[in-house]
């Protein structure tokens, strides 16, 4: 999904991502340094979001904290998670030769402790390491600094399933295989 086209500005998309996944209640100067954008670009987008009644700006303090409105926050988060899911699908499709299955966990609202579970087949360690790096880079693009990922071979998954392993059974219960 191309959020830039939808929101008409990469800066606006980055502001939404930052306020949703990194830190809510931040000043324009902090956004300027964190997003590596100019102050006028940040101010223009913040003014636009304020005029759209999507954010609140606490004008009492000196820092002028910017927060996404509470009633809009879940909608923005779900929209960004949908975009992240689409990007994950594209990325994992590039590894279709080694990925058997994958599951979305805690970050996506599922009752699986890790945020991502990847079941791989016939994969060398360097391929798994490269996929981990690519997944981490994608998540950092959404200002998600830490994401918990579990990688498991298809053989190990089957063995753990036969042994009624609690983790494997919890995945199956949540995703209803």
């Amino acid at each position: 999904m191309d959020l830039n086209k939808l929101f008409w500005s990469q800066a606006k998309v980055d502001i939404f991502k930052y306020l949703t996944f990194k830190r809510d209640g931040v000043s324009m100067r902090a956004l300027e340094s964190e997003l590596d954008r100019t102050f006028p670009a940040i101010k223009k987008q913040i003014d636009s979001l304020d005029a759209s009644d999507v954010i609140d700006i606490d004008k009492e303090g000196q820092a002028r904290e910017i927060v996404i409105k509470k009633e809009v926050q879940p909608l923005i988060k779900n929209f960004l998670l949908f975009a992240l899911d689409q990007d994950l699908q594209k990325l994992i499709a590039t590894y279709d030769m080694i990925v058997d299955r994958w599951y979305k966990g805690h970050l996506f609202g599922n009752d699986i402790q890790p945020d991502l579970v990847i079941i791989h087949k016939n994969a060398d360690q360097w391929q798994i390491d490269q996929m981990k790096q690519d997944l981490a880079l994608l998540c950092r693009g959404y200002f998600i600094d830490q994401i918990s990922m579990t990688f498991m071979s298809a053989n190990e998954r089957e063995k753990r399933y036969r042994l009624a392993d609690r983790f494997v059974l919890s995945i199956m219960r949540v995703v209803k295989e």
Side-chain angles (χ1 to χ4, degrees):
M1 171 177 278
D2 193 351
L3 293 174
N4 301 339
K5 298 236 190 280
L6 180 66
F7 291 114
W8 297 357
S9 164
Q10 180 62 45
K12 191 178 291 182
V13 172
D14 286 346
I15 290 168
F16 277 138
K17 288 176 181 177
Y18 189 87
L19 292 175
T20 300
F21 294 118
K22 181 88 169 186
R23 189 174 125 210
D24 204 17
V26 66
S27 70
M28 278 193 257
R29 290 290 179 194
L31 283 172
E32 175 188 16
S33 66
E34 290 285 332
L35 301 180
D36 199 28
R37 305 244 181 233
T38 64
F39 186 80
I42 296 292
K43 180 160 179 21
K44 177 181 176 184
Q45 298 308 321
I46 293 297
D47 289 345
S48 169
L49 291 171
D50 191 27
S52 301
D53 208 25
V54 173
I55 61 169
D56 280 325
I57 302 173
D58 179 13
K59 296 179 179 169
E60 291 187 19
Q62 285 188 342
R64 292 186 170 237
E65 281 189 343
I66 301 162
V67 295
I68 297 176
K69 288 193 171 206
K70 292 202 184 314
E71 57 272 9
V72 178
Q73 176 72 24
L75 299 171
I76 298 293
K77 183 174 183 175
N78 287 337
F79 199 78
L80 291 173
L81 285 173
F82 176 76
L84 176 59
D85 181 37
Q86 297 295 307
D87 291 341
L88 282 170
Q89 288 180 33
K90 288 178 190 171
L91 178 63
I92 290 175
T94 64
Y95 289 98
D96 67 337
M97 298 298 282
I98 63 170
V99 174
D100 185 38
R101 303 171 194 178
W102 66 286
Y103 306 100
K104 298 175 287 187
H106 185 70
L107 176 66
F108 294 92
N110 293 322
D111 193 22
I112 302 172
Q113 189 52 42
D115 297 317
L116 283 175
V117 178
I118 310 284
I119 310 296
H120 59 84
K121 56 185 177 192
N122 304 326
D124 292 328
Q125 187 60 45
W126 68 269
Q127 291 170 310
I128 294 170
D129 291 342
Q130 183 62 50
M131 187 174 12
K132 286 179 183 178
Q133 288 176 355
D134 291 346
L135 288 167
L137 185 63
L138 174 64
C139 291
R140 277 195 296 274
Y142 281 81
F143 296 100
I144 300 171
D145 291 332
Q146 290 187 339
I147 183 164
S148 59
M149 297 182 274
T150 298
F151 285 78
M152 181 185 312
S153 71
N155 292 339
E156 180 183 353
R157 181 203 172 277
E158 289 303 316
K159 182 172 120 184
R160 289 174 72 170
Y161 173 71
R162 285 192 306 272
L163 294 172
D165 179 76
R166 185 179 295 179
F167 176 68
V168 172
L169 293 177
S170 72
I171 293 171
M172 293 178 65
R173 184 181 65 247
V174 169
V175 296
K176 309 220 183 334
E177 280 187 29

